[in-house]
Amino acid sequence: MTEQDPIAYPTIPEAEVQLRCNRCNKPITPATAILTETGYRCAECVRAQQRVFDTTNKLDPFLGFAVAALISFAGSWLSGMLGFFTILVAPGIGTLISNAVRLVVNRRRSKALNKAVLVGAIVGALPLLILAILPLLSGSGPLLTGGGNLMPLVWRVVYAALVSSSAYAQAKGMRL
Ligand SMILES: [Zn+2]
């Protein structure tokens, strides 16, 4: 089904079609459209999605958290040597986290698992980020002597933001 398929749903006049479900592309009216985290969807797709989103067992979110935290931590150690290239590498590590979690939980899915992956990715990036902040807090570190020395901390923050948002977006199923 494509946008260029005007006769697919002849029961809804063109003038009333203001929205299309962004999953099945079916025309939907404002009255029946449901705004989801990823855009407007029809009621059937939302119901289907909710079923898909609840297949995990109690242990899965903890596994997801642990895997995400471990990989994120390993990646944050790596990104300490990358500087600018953190921008290119961090989303890839997010992908790695998402794929690894998917394997570990045998492709089961739930919103709780997605949130656990998000939190895990952030938590994994924190230890080295905090290590980069500590000299600032003590007021005695070399970080205060020149703006250039702030960059390691900046890249840690960039890494934490990118790796967690990338892992979370892909955990939510925006890409397989
Ligand atoms: Zn739909």
Side-chain angles (χ1 to χ4, degrees):
M1 193 85 38
T2 67
E3 296 269 342
Q4 292 78 36
D5 197 356
I7 60 163
Y9 298 97
T11 53
I12 301 179
E14 194 67 28
E16 285 181 26
V17 178
Q18 299 178 7
L19 296 162
R20 280 176 189 273
C21 172
N22 72 356
R23 186 165 178 267
C24 68
N25 208 33
K26 184 168 76 179
I28 41 181
T29 63
T32 58
I34 297 168
L35 182 58
T36 69
E37 287 170 324
T38 52
Y40 285 101
R41 295 207 164 157
C42 70
E44 291 131 65
C45 284
V46 168
R47 271 196 297 274
Q49 198 81 355
Q50 280 165 347
R51 281 197 298 274
V52 169
F53 267 142
D54 199 16
T55 57
T56 53
N57 60 41
K58 281 179 180 171
L59 193 59
D60 286 339
F62 295 101
L63 284 173
F65 172 86
V67 169
L70 279 174
I71 296 176
S72 178
F73 177 74
S76 74
W77 178 79
L78 176 71
S79 80
M81 300 178 285
L82 292 174
F84 171 80
F85 294 98
T86 299
I87 289 175
L88 304 176
V89 173
I93 293 172
T95 304
L96 186 67
I97 289 172
S98 167
N99 289 337
V101 169
R102 221 167 251 144
L103 273 179
V104 167
V105 302
N106 199 18
R107 294 184 174 268
R108 289 185 294 271
R109 309 184 63 175
S110 73
K111 284 184 177 177
L113 175 61
N114 297 344
K115 296 229 163 64
V117 168
L118 173 67
V119 174
I122 293 171
V123 166
L126 281 183
L128 295 183
L129 194 157
I130 289 168
L131 274 181
I133 292 174
L134 283 181
L136 282 174
L137 296 180
S138 70
S140 59
L143 283 166
L144 290 179
T145 61
N149 289 329
L150 278 170
M151 290 316 288
L153 172 59
V154 170
W155 294 126
R156 296 254 176 250
V157 173
V158 167
Y159 171 82
L162 286 179
V163 78
S164 56
S165 59
S166 166
Y168 185 54
Q170 289 172 73
K172 284 201 298 183
M174 288 171 66
R175 236 187 62 184
L176 192 63

